[in-house]
Amino acid sequence: MWIDTHCHLDAREFGNNALGVAARALEKGVGMIVIPAIDRANWEAVRKLGAAAGNASYAIGIHPICVPNATDADLAAMRETVREALHDPNFVAIGEVGLDFFLPQLCTPEMRDKQVLFFREQLKIAREFGLPVLTHVRKSQDQVLKHVRQIAPAGGIAHAFNGSFQQAQGYIDIGFKLGFGGNLTFTRALQIRRLAEQLPLSAIVMETDAPDIAPQWLHPGVNTPDQVPGIAEVLAQLRGIGLDELQAATTANAHAVMPRLRALMPG
């Protein structure tokens, strides 16, 4: 079975059919979908989906794009929500958290500082409870890496990684995995394809970021978690390995970085 380590199954694009989307993914061999939260308002939604779908789990966090409206009270609520969620076997990580220095509205000095503050506080929560983090690293690979080195969680994933080989090695050195998805299916995505081809297989996990980052054959449509096998086929071709080898390795990698996931999906 494949694992989609990053899928926003609660997104409005899926409407009331999120469970149907998850079921179709299972039919295609996607045995587990990890649903990261983006802010306090959807923590309960991802928890409910994790419980309702037979092949889903979830993470709790505040996404950098939601930081402008977030408050200290949200951080306090997050700590208590995480504490309570530890009793839920479907809860597997802190996320989606990180830094975004791509969107102009997040790049003002005030918003950069607030992003850093919220990221560091969420890293502290991850460290306190021994949880991995699902990190957003858009135009911020070096900065995210710096803070993760300073406040080390129990591993994590650099989601939608698109940095340099040197930056990739920095994440690998601290025990992180790197998420690859639909971007690698575009022949013009030369750097992502080089990374996907040449990085150690032990560092790679599969993801879709659905409903975003649709593979080439769906672009610009809505991405879905059942696309993991097709994306994986392109990755296997780039690396010159069989699908079975890629599936076994990326599943083991996801289990290694999110140990609570292993209990949900043995082997």
Side-chain angles (χ1 to χ4, degrees):
M1 286 287 185
W2 297 100
I3 298 178
D4 184 347
T5 61
H6 201 108
C7 170
H8 296 281
L9 194 60
D10 64 312
R12 65 181 180 274
E13 285 86 347
F14 300 131
N16 296 320
N17 195 36
L19 294 180
V21 172
R24 286 198 298 274
L26 184 59
E27 291 173 359
K28 295 291 186 178
V30 182
M32 183 54 60
I33 299 165
V34 181
I35 314 167
I38 60 168
D39 66 11
R40 186 176 180 178
N42 82 323
W43 294 346
E44 182 64 10
V46 299
R47 185 197 67 78
K48 286 182 176 178
L49 275 176
N55 59 328
S57 56
Y58 68 98
I60 294 293
I62 301 171
H63 192 294
I65 66 170
C66 296
V67 163
N69 295 319
T71 67
D72 290 344
D74 294 331
L75 288 172
M78 179 176 165
R79 177 172 276 102
E80 291 310 307
T81 300
V82 168
R83 190 189 308 277
E84 294 170 4
L86 290 175
H87 302 292
D88 183 351
N90 293 317
F91 172 60
V92 297
I94 297 295
E96 181 177 355
V97 302
L99 301 171
D100 190 312
F101 297 144
F102 172 76
L103 294 174
Q105 63 267 34
L106 297 178
C107 293
T108 66
E110 179 185 6
M111 280 300 107
R112 289 177 73 98
D113 289 347
K114 189 175 182 182
Q115 280 195 71
V116 168
L117 171 65
F118 271 73
F119 181 41
R120 289 178 68 87
E121 290 303 310
Q122 291 180 96
L123 285 176
K124 291 175 185 176
I125 293 172
R127 184 175 64 181
E128 177 182 348
F129 294 107
L131 293 164
V133 293
L134 308 179
T135 58
H136 182 95
V137 297
R138 189 160 58 165
K139 298 293 184 183
S140 61
Q141 287 93 349
D142 287 334
Q143 296 92 335
V144 168
L145 183 57
K146 179 185 77 171
H147 295 296
V148 169
R149 282 171 171 160
Q150 292 174 355
I151 307 172
I157 297 173
H159 150 61
F161 186 78
N162 186 22
S164 67
F165 279 90
Q166 182 179 10
Q167 289 166 332
Q169 191 60 52
Y171 284 98
I172 293 168
D173 288 346
I174 61 170
F176 269 50
K177 307 301 182 184
L178 308 174
F180 286 89
N183 281 346
L184 66 82
T185 65
F186 292 86
T187 55
R188 67 178 183 273
L190 299 179
Q191 175 67 357
I192 292 175
R193 288 165 72 92
R194 281 192 292 264
L195 289 162
E197 176 186 0
Q198 298 174 25
L199 287 173
L201 184 55
S202 60
I204 292 175
V205 293
M206 302 302 301
E207 63 171 44
T208 60
D209 198 29
D212 299 323
I213 316 185
Q216 179 272 329
W217 52 85
L218 281 183
H219 183 78
V222 173
N223 197 9
T224 48
D226 61 357
Q227 298 304 310
V228 169
I231 295 167
E233 187 171 351
V234 177
L235 177 55
Q237 290 171 355
L238 286 171
R239 297 187 68 92
I241 62 175
L243 267 178
D244 288 347
E245 180 182 353
L246 181 63
Q247 184 183 77
T250 56
T251 296
N253 296 342
H255 285 170
V257 79
M258 289 183 281
R260 292 173 66 92
L261 201 61
R262 184 184 295 277
L264 293 174
M265 189 183 172

